[in-house]
Short mmCIF file of all heavy atoms in Angstrom, two decimals:
data_model
loop_
_atom_site.label_atom_id
_atom_site.label_comp_id
_atom_site.label_asym_id
_atom_site.label_seq_id
_atom_site.Cartn_x
_atom_site.Cartn_y
_atom_site.Cartn_z
N ALA V 23 -8.79 8.31 8.30
CA ALA V 23 -10.20 7.92 8.29
C ALA V 23 -10.59 7.14 9.53
O ALA V 23 -11.74 7.26 10.01
CB ALA V 23 -10.52 7.14 7.02
N ALA V 24 -9.67 6.38 10.04
CA ALA V 24 -9.91 5.57 11.26
C ALA V 24 -9.66 6.36 12.53
O ALA V 24 -9.85 5.82 13.63
CB ALA V 24 -9.04 4.31 11.22
N GLY V 25 -9.28 7.61 12.40
CA GLY V 25 -9.05 8.45 13.59
C GLY V 25 -7.72 8.20 14.29
O GLY V 25 -7.53 8.52 15.46
N VAL V 26 -6.78 7.57 13.53
CA VAL V 26 -5.46 7.28 14.12
C VAL V 26 -4.50 8.40 13.77
O VAL V 26 -4.29 8.69 12.58
CB VAL V 26 -4.92 5.95 13.53
CG1 VAL V 26 -3.50 5.67 14.07
CG2 VAL V 26 -5.87 4.81 13.87
N PRO V 27 -3.95 9.11 14.78
CA PRO V 27 -2.97 10.12 14.47
C PRO V 27 -1.73 9.51 13.79
O PRO V 27 -1.18 8.52 14.25
CB PRO V 27 -2.55 10.66 15.87
CG PRO V 27 -3.59 10.14 16.81
CD PRO V 27 -4.13 8.91 16.21
N ALA V 28 -1.36 10.07 12.64
CA ALA V 28 -0.24 9.53 11.87
C ALA V 28 0.30 10.59 10.99
O ALA V 28 -0.39 11.59 10.67
CB ALA V 28 -0.66 8.31 11.12
N GLY V 29 1.51 10.42 10.56
CA GLY V 29 2.12 11.32 9.62
C GLY V 29 3.19 10.55 8.82
O GLY V 29 3.55 9.43 9.19
N PRO V 30 3.67 11.19 7.78
CA PRO V 30 4.66 10.51 6.94
C PRO V 30 6.01 10.40 7.64
O PRO V 30 6.30 11.18 8.53
CB PRO V 30 4.76 11.39 5.72
CG PRO V 30 4.39 12.76 6.21
CD PRO V 30 3.34 12.53 7.29
N ILE V 31 6.77 9.40 7.28
CA ILE V 31 8.14 9.28 7.70
C ILE V 31 8.99 9.83 6.61
O ILE V 31 8.95 9.31 5.45
CB ILE V 31 8.51 7.80 8.01
CG1 ILE V 31 7.63 7.34 9.18
CG2 ILE V 31 9.99 7.69 8.35
CD1 ILE V 31 7.82 5.86 9.49
N ASN V 32 9.71 10.88 6.82
CA ASN V 32 10.48 11.56 5.83
C ASN V 32 11.85 10.93 5.61
O ASN V 32 12.53 10.54 6.57
CB ASN V 32 10.69 13.04 6.21
CG ASN V 32 9.43 13.81 6.21
OD1 ASN V 32 8.53 13.59 5.37
ND2 ASN V 32 9.26 14.72 7.17
N THR V 33 12.24 10.87 4.39
CA THR V 33 13.63 10.52 4.05
C THR V 33 14.49 11.76 4.13
O THR V 33 13.97 12.90 4.27
CB THR V 33 13.72 9.96 2.61
OG1 THR V 33 13.40 11.01 1.69
CG2 THR V 33 12.79 8.77 2.38
N ALA V 34 15.80 11.59 4.06
CA ALA V 34 16.70 12.75 4.06
C ALA V 34 16.36 13.69 2.91
O ALA V 34 16.35 14.91 3.04
CB ALA V 34 18.15 12.30 4.05
N ALA V 35 16.07 13.14 1.74
CA ALA V 35 15.71 13.94 0.54
C ALA V 35 14.41 14.69 0.81
O ALA V 35 14.31 15.88 0.39
CB ALA V 35 15.59 13.07 -0.67
N ASP V 36 13.42 14.09 1.48
CA ASP V 36 12.18 14.75 1.81
C ASP V 36 12.44 15.95 2.70
O ASP V 36 11.91 17.04 2.49
CB ASP V 36 11.20 13.80 2.51
CG ASP V 36 10.74 12.68 1.69
OD1 ASP V 36 10.71 12.77 0.45
OD2 ASP V 36 10.37 11.61 2.28
N ILE V 37 13.27 15.74 3.72
CA ILE V 37 13.56 16.82 4.70
C ILE V 37 14.28 17.97 3.97
O ILE V 37 13.93 19.11 4.18
CB ILE V 37 14.39 16.28 5.85
CG1 ILE V 37 13.55 15.33 6.73
CG2 ILE V 37 14.95 17.41 6.71
CD1 ILE V 37 14.36 14.54 7.74
N LYS V 38 15.25 17.65 3.16
CA LYS V 38 16.03 18.68 2.47
C LYS V 38 15.14 19.55 1.58
O LYS V 38 15.40 20.74 1.38
CB LYS V 38 17.13 18.01 1.64
CG LYS V 38 18.09 18.99 0.98
CD LYS V 38 19.12 18.26 0.26
CE LYS V 38 20.01 19.26 -0.54
NZ LYS V 38 20.96 18.60 -1.40
N ALA V 39 14.07 18.98 1.01
CA ALA V 39 13.19 19.68 0.09
C ALA V 39 11.94 20.25 0.82
O ALA V 39 11.16 20.97 0.18
CB ALA V 39 12.76 18.76 -1.01
N ASP V 40 11.73 19.94 2.08
CA ASP V 40 10.53 20.32 2.78
C ASP V 40 10.44 21.85 3.01
O ASP V 40 11.37 22.47 3.55
CB ASP V 40 10.45 19.61 4.15
CG ASP V 40 9.15 19.87 4.88
OD1 ASP V 40 9.08 20.88 5.60
OD2 ASP V 40 8.25 19.07 4.69
#
Side-chain angles (χ1 to χ4, degrees):
V26 177
I31 297 174
N32 294 322
T33 65
D36 294 334
I37 292 170
K38 185 178 174 187
D40 186 273

